[in-house]
Amino acid sequence: MRHHKWVTRHRQSRNAVWVAGWLLVLCGWWLSRLPFVAAGLLVLNVYAAGLMAADKRAARRGGPRVPEASLLLSALVGGGAGALLGMLAWRHKTRHALFMTGVPLICAVQIVLIWVCLLNQ
């Protein structure tokens, strides 16, 4: 598969996962169903960790890589904890200052937001 086809397929699946995760989060929030919110956040975080693993595997094999923007965006849209765990578990992007400062900061902000939302419910 040529590189541009892989990137197009990645973007389509990435967007589908983000939409599905946020639909679960928003529907759960609107219906006051915490399990749906948790399921949506789980989808986003597992996907972010999976992207880290896939990019690490591609880096070792010399295959097409996951764009850094996708890795950071997956953390930003709700997968901060998954991206951080993926970085640490697979020792991926740990030498990049942007990832080592940005992803933990994103994760911390998301944890605070979740905590504030739970307290105000």
Side-chain angles (χ1 to χ4, degrees):
M1 180 182 306
R2 286 193 274 155
H3 180 71
H4 73 282
K5 286 184 180 179
W6 181 89
V7 171
T8 302
R9 194 179 78 204
H10 158 69
R11 286 183 181 145
Q12 290 169 345
S13 65
R14 173 195 70 190
N15 294 341
V17 170
W18 289 351
V19 167
W22 274 102
L23 277 175
L24 281 169
V25 169
L26 294 174
C27 288
W29 187 259
W30 186 63
L31 297 171
S32 297
R33 303 280 189 227
L34 195 56
F36 287 136
V37 175
L41 291 174
L42 183 67
V43 165
L44 295 170
N45 281 286
V46 167
Y47 183 72
L51 275 183
M52 287 291 179
D55 193 45
K56 178 67 174 193
R57 188 171 44 252
R60 286 183 176 161
R61 294 180 179 171
R65 303 285 302 274
V66 176
E68 287 187 351
S70 290
L71 296 172
L72 288 171
L73 279 172
S74 68
L76 191 63
V77 298
L84 183 60
L85 289 174
M87 281 176 54
L88 298 176
W90 291 287
R91 295 184 193 144
H92 190 53
K93 299 291 185 187
T94 55
R95 292 185 180 184
H96 295 248
L98 177 62
F99 281 87
M100 286 305 292
T101 57
V103 173
L105 181 64
I106 290 168
C107 184
V109 168
Q110 289 173 356
I111 289 170
V112 168
L113 286 173
I114 290 169
W115 184 61
V116 167
C117 289
L118 288 174
L119 286 178
N120 290 328
Q121 207 175 28

